[in-house]
Amino acid sequence: MVQFTALDWFWVVAYILLMVACGVLFYRLASRSESDFFLAGRGLPWWLPATSVYATHTATDTPIWIGGVVYRFGFAGLWYTFFAAWCAISAFVSTRIFRRSLAFTQAEWQNLRYSGLGAEMLRGWLAGWQVFMNMFILGWVGIAMGKVFHFLFPAYPEWVGMILFSSICAIYVLFAGFWGVVMADFQQGIIASALIIIVSIWQIVAAGGPAGIVERLTELGQLEKLNPLHFTGMWSGDFPIAWFVTMIFVALLGGLGMGTAIDWYVESQRIQSARTVRDASYSIWVGTFLTMTRNALWALAIVGFFAMFPAIENSAEYEMAWFVMGFRVLPAGMVGCFFAAILAIHFSTISTHLNLGAMYCTRDLFHHYIKPKATQKELVWVGRISTVCLLAGSFFYGLMMESITQWLIFALWIMAAGIWLPSILQVIWWRFNSWGYLASWLANLALSWLVVWVLPAYGVIPELLDYQQFWALLVLGAMIYLPVTFLTKPDDMNHLVRYYVRTLPIGWWGPVRREAVRQGLIDEKGNLPGVQEAPATS
């Protein structure tokens, strides 16, 4: 058991008090309106949402997940995290389109992009799905914190750590909404970054430094762990070339769409909180760059852990590699700092998903469907009540998860496979209608469970590798949503024209663009009347 000194406890308590103080400090700002509680009034400079993007994606489950794939595959495992590179593309494509729409949420954007009953069904579906997904994410991040807490204090079960620290985080989210989230994220990003660098370097030194790690891996006959392009063949093995090509394909083209990964829904809130389109673009690009740089540093420390302990077979044990090494090699006094940094990592993600899920409950379910004429005060209070409900639901999901990596990879493939192409089509192709997109979601949910779990379990099909699952789900889904698209009517042209003029999308929008020109809403060059070039800000 790790021993905490008085100085260690001081760092932990001081940090918790600092975060709670953030909530109290921004209570008045958050209480002014729905926009303040969920988007910080849409007035943030790029560096604040950028820090928030980075802090949110630095969660307690992240080193567990990265620890799992890097311990197993070495540096090649980092390609599992490369899907985040889609943000570098989206920063200058779909980010700009979404920011110009001024939609609070991705669900609300459906009402702007599509028309009629299909748009309403999509908005309700995506809002409900996001409420579920945010509880799901809160659950796996929460149980990851529970695993760390149980490692430090074995007398307490994992659920104690999950409930205790997620509940503390909920305090400042209830008080300050997104103002508290983004301001706390700024501090948490700095604290987490400093400790990640210090602890990872300390771990690398403890493993013998780079030279010692290489020497030990050579002795073990595992030098390929250092090769990020260690292919096991064209089609088979743990790291085939076909899988690598798939990951590159998904990441780079995925940035053309919206909602191509779980991360998009977190980024969308930061995009709309930025004061201009340019600020939104910079925030997503910088936040993604910091995230991927962090992954590389973690990976080196985890390979060092493998060099020291190469024979661990239980995934639940080696997933904890970075945490275990940190607590073992750090001296007294620094252990508390490390634990405070872990809390910073945990709070940043928990606070984001509490507020994001509450926004879907409030904006898309309560405000849109139940009480459209609700006052701003009522909407803020519904946001706070929704936050509590999400927290309670997350505890249920957290208790269901034994292997963090297994659940996370499955969730990522659900989000990236069947709706990957439709999420791009809705941005770049005017004819892709609401019924096609709704069909892609429903088909993906059914097909993903069949292809990944049910059919292999009954021997109907062999168990497929990750990349094979992706292509199978992509093709099978297209066989459903493309016919649905062509067999149903296009969305209302006047509605599409209004959307086009407002957001200036890219791709195949010729008929809509020509109609917008005919109506005198834009000129032949695509500019608004009296404007020399397309506006850069809203």
PDB file of all heavy atoms in Angstrom, residues 61-75:
ATOM      1  N   ASP A  61      -9.117   7.205 -17.344  1.00  0.00           N
ATOM      2  CA  ASP A  61      -9.159   5.998 -18.170  1.00  0.00           C
ATOM      3  C   ASP A  61      -8.132   6.044 -19.295  1.00  0.00           C
ATOM      4  O   ASP A  61      -7.793   5.006 -19.866  1.00  0.00           O
ATOM      5  CB  ASP A  61     -10.560   5.816 -18.774  1.00  0.00           C
ATOM      6  CG  ASP A  61     -10.861   6.851 -19.845  1.00  0.00           C
ATOM      7  OD1 ASP A  61     -10.846   8.050 -19.507  1.00  0.00           O
ATOM      8  OD2 ASP A  61     -11.098   6.481 -21.001  1.00  0.00           O
ATOM      9  N   THR A  62      -7.630   7.263 -19.638  1.00  0.00           N
ATOM     10  CA  THR A  62      -6.745   7.383 -20.799  1.00  0.00           C
ATOM     11  C   THR A  62      -5.424   6.648 -20.607  1.00  0.00           C
ATOM     12  O   THR A  62      -5.035   5.859 -21.474  1.00  0.00           O
ATOM     13  CB  THR A  62      -6.489   8.868 -21.139  1.00  0.00           C
ATOM     14  OG1 THR A  62      -7.707   9.589 -21.060  1.00  0.00           O
ATOM     15  CG2 THR A  62      -5.897   8.998 -22.524  1.00  0.00           C
ATOM     16  N   PRO A  63      -4.677   6.868 -19.498  1.00  0.00           N
ATOM     17  CA  PRO A  63      -3.451   6.076 -19.335  1.00  0.00           C
ATOM     18  C   PRO A  63      -3.734   4.589 -19.137  1.00  0.00           C
ATOM     19  O   PRO A  63      -2.880   3.751 -19.436  1.00  0.00           O
ATOM     20  CB  PRO A  63      -2.801   6.700 -18.089  1.00  0.00           C
ATOM     21  CG  PRO A  63      -3.879   7.420 -17.382  1.00  0.00           C
ATOM     22  CD  PRO A  63      -4.832   7.883 -18.435  1.00  0.00           C
ATOM     23  N   ILE A  64      -4.936   4.253 -18.671  1.00  0.00           N
ATOM     24  CA  ILE A  64      -5.303   2.835 -18.542  1.00  0.00           C
ATOM     25  C   ILE A  64      -5.472   2.222 -19.930  1.00  0.00           C
ATOM     26  O   ILE A  64      -4.962   1.137 -20.222  1.00  0.00           O
ATOM     27  CB  ILE A  64      -6.593   2.687 -17.705  1.00  0.00           C
ATOM     28  CG1 ILE A  64      -6.311   3.055 -16.246  1.00  0.00           C
ATOM     29  CG2 ILE A  64      -7.137   1.268 -17.796  1.00  0.00           C
ATOM     30  CD1 ILE A  64      -7.523   2.974 -15.351  1.00  0.00           C
ATOM     31  N   TRP A  65      -6.191   2.939 -20.788  1.00  0.00           N
ATOM     32  CA  TRP A  65      -6.389   2.456 -22.153  1.00  0.00           C
ATOM     33  C   TRP A  65      -5.065   2.418 -22.920  1.00  0.00           C
ATOM     34  O   TRP A  65      -4.708   1.399 -23.521  1.00  0.00           O
ATOM     35  CB  TRP A  65      -7.389   3.375 -22.865  1.00  0.00           C
ATOM     36  CG  TRP A  65      -7.575   3.052 -24.311  1.00  0.00           C
ATOM     37  CD1 TRP A  65      -7.614   1.803 -24.869  1.00  0.00           C
ATOM     38  CD2 TRP A  65      -7.731   3.974 -25.386  1.00  0.00           C
ATOM     39  NE1 TRP A  65      -7.810   1.898 -26.232  1.00  0.00           N
ATOM     40  CE2 TRP A  65      -7.886   3.208 -26.569  1.00  0.00           C
ATOM     41  CE3 TRP A  65      -7.789   5.359 -25.467  1.00  0.00           C
ATOM     42  CZ2 TRP A  65      -8.062   3.810 -27.819  1.00  0.00           C
ATOM     43  CZ3 TRP A  65      -7.982   5.939 -26.713  1.00  0.00           C
ATOM     44  CH2 TRP A  65      -8.107   5.178 -27.856  1.00  0.00           C
ATOM     45  N   ILE A  66      -4.322   3.530 -22.883  1.00  0.00           N
ATOM     46  CA  ILE A  66      -3.031   3.568 -23.580  1.00  0.00           C
ATOM     47  C   ILE A  66      -2.080   2.541 -22.977  1.00  0.00           C
ATOM     48  O   ILE A  66      -1.325   1.873 -23.690  1.00  0.00           O
ATOM     49  CB  ILE A  66      -2.429   4.988 -23.520  1.00  0.00           C
ATOM     50  CG1 ILE A  66      -3.309   5.949 -24.334  1.00  0.00           C
ATOM     51  CG2 ILE A  66      -0.997   5.001 -24.059  1.00  0.00           C
ATOM     52  CD1 ILE A  66      -2.870   7.389 -24.277  1.00  0.00           C
ATOM     53  N   GLY A  67      -2.126   2.397 -21.653  1.00  0.00           N
ATOM     54  CA  GLY A  67      -1.303   1.381 -21.004  1.00  0.00           C
ATOM     55  C   GLY A  67      -1.622  -0.007 -21.526  1.00  0.00           C
ATOM     56  O   GLY A  67      -0.723  -0.832 -21.753  1.00  0.00           O
ATOM     57  N   GLY A  68      -2.922  -0.282 -21.752  1.00  0.00           N
ATOM     58  CA  GLY A  68      -3.316  -1.593 -22.248  1.00  0.00           C
ATOM     59  C   GLY A  68      -2.798  -1.885 -23.640  1.00  0.00           C
ATOM     60  O   GLY A  68      -2.212  -2.941 -23.894  1.00  0.00           O
ATOM     61  N   VAL A  69      -2.970  -0.940 -24.582  1.00  0.00           N
ATOM     62  CA  VAL A  69      -2.574  -1.209 -25.966  1.00  0.00           C
ATOM     63  C   VAL A  69      -1.059  -1.119 -26.163  1.00  0.00           C
ATOM     64  O   VAL A  69      -0.489  -1.852 -26.979  1.00  0.00           O
ATOM     65  CB  VAL A  69      -3.301  -0.270 -26.949  1.00  0.00           C
ATOM     66  CG1 VAL A  69      -4.795  -0.554 -26.954  1.00  0.00           C
ATOM     67  CG2 VAL A  69      -3.043   1.208 -26.646  1.00  0.00           C
ATOM     68  N   VAL A  70      -0.372  -0.225 -25.411  1.00  0.00           N
ATOM     69  CA  VAL A  70       1.079  -0.096 -25.565  1.00  0.00           C
ATOM     70  C   VAL A  70       1.800  -1.271 -24.901  1.00  0.00           C
ATOM     71  O   VAL A  70       2.786  -1.787 -25.435  1.00  0.00           O
ATOM     72  CB  VAL A  70       1.578   1.250 -25.013  1.00  0.00           C
ATOM     73  CG1 VAL A  70       3.104   1.300 -24.989  1.00  0.00           C
ATOM     74  CG2 VAL A  70       1.034   2.399 -25.864  1.00  0.00           C
ATOM     75  N   TYR A  71       1.341  -1.712 -23.741  1.00  0.00           N
ATOM     76  CA  TYR A  71       1.959  -2.877 -23.097  1.00  0.00           C
ATOM     77  C   TYR A  71       1.841  -4.092 -24.018  1.00  0.00           C
ATOM     78  O   TYR A  71       2.765  -4.889 -24.150  1.00  0.00           O
ATOM     79  CB  TYR A  71       1.282  -3.168 -21.763  1.00  0.00           C
ATOM     80  CG  TYR A  71       1.957  -4.274 -20.977  1.00  0.00           C
ATOM     81  CD1 TYR A  71       2.947  -3.993 -20.041  1.00  0.00           C
ATOM     82  CD2 TYR A  71       1.604  -5.611 -21.173  1.00  0.00           C
ATOM     83  CE1 TYR A  71       3.569  -5.002 -19.325  1.00  0.00           C
ATOM     84  CE2 TYR A  71       2.219  -6.633 -20.466  1.00  0.00           C
ATOM     85  CZ  TYR A  71       3.210  -6.320 -19.548  1.00  0.00           C
ATOM     86  OH  TYR A  71       3.825  -7.333 -18.844  1.00  0.00           O
ATOM     87  N   ARG A  72       0.712  -4.203 -24.687  1.00  0.00           N
ATOM     88  CA  ARG A  72       0.473  -5.366 -25.537  1.00  0.00           C
ATOM     89  C   ARG A  72       1.192  -5.263 -26.873  1.00  0.00           C
ATOM     90  O   ARG A  72       1.797  -6.229 -27.342  1.00  0.00           O
ATOM     91  CB  ARG A  72      -1.031  -5.519 -25.767  1.00  0.00           C
ATOM     92  CG  ARG A  72      -1.405  -6.745 -26.578  1.00  0.00           C
ATOM     93  CD  ARG A  72      -2.906  -6.824 -26.744  1.00  0.00           C
ATOM     94  NE  ARG A  72      -3.299  -7.897 -27.642  1.00  0.00           N
ATOM     95  CZ  ARG A  72      -4.534  -8.085 -28.105  1.00  0.00           C
ATOM     96  NH1 ARG A  72      -5.491  -7.256 -27.730  1.00  0.00           N
ATOM     97  NH2 ARG A  72      -4.804  -9.080 -28.916  1.00  0.00           N
ATOM     98  N   PHE A  73       1.142  -4.075 -27.517  1.00  0.00           N
ATOM     99  CA  PHE A  73       1.657  -3.931 -28.882  1.00  0.00           C
ATOM    100  C   PHE A  73       2.917  -3.089 -28.989  1.00  0.00           C
ATOM    101  O   PHE A  73       3.489  -2.978 -30.076  1.00  0.00           O
ATOM    102  CB  PHE A  73       0.592  -3.309 -29.786  1.00  0.00           C
ATOM    103  CG  PHE A  73      -0.701  -4.073 -29.833  1.00  0.00           C
ATOM    104  CD1 PHE A  73      -1.891  -3.484 -29.441  1.00  0.00           C
ATOM    105  CD2 PHE A  73      -0.728  -5.384 -30.283  1.00  0.00           C
ATOM    106  CE1 PHE A  73      -3.083  -4.181 -29.486  1.00  0.00           C
ATOM    107  CE2 PHE A  73      -1.915  -6.090 -30.334  1.00  0.00           C
ATOM    108  CZ  PHE A  73      -3.099  -5.493 -29.933  1.00  0.00           C
ATOM    109  N   GLY A  74       3.349  -2.469 -27.888  1.00  0.00           N
ATOM    110  CA  GLY A  74       4.480  -1.551 -27.983  1.00  0.00           C
ATOM    111  C   GLY A  74       4.043  -0.240 -28.628  1.00  0.00           C
ATOM    112  O   GLY A  74       2.868   0.133 -28.595  1.00  0.00           O
ATOM    113  N   PHE A  75       4.995   0.476 -29.250  1.00  0.00           N
ATOM    114  CA  PHE A  75       4.681   1.766 -29.864  1.00  0.00           C
ATOM    115  C   PHE A  75       3.631   1.638 -30.967  1.00  0.00           C
ATOM    116  O   PHE A  75       2.936   2.601 -31.290  1.00  0.00           O
ATOM    117  CB  PHE A  75       5.946   2.403 -30.441  1.00  0.00           C
ATOM    118  CG  PHE A  75       6.842   3.008 -29.402  1.00  0.00           C
ATOM    119  CD1 PHE A  75       8.143   3.377 -29.713  1.00  0.00           C
ATOM    120  CD2 PHE A  75       6.397   3.225 -28.105  1.00  0.00           C
ATOM    121  CE1 PHE A  75       8.974   3.938 -28.759  1.00  0.00           C
ATOM    122  CE2 PHE A  75       7.212   3.783 -27.142  1.00  0.00           C
ATOM    123  CZ  PHE A  75       8.514   4.138 -27.466  1.00  0.00           C
TER     124      PHE A  75
END
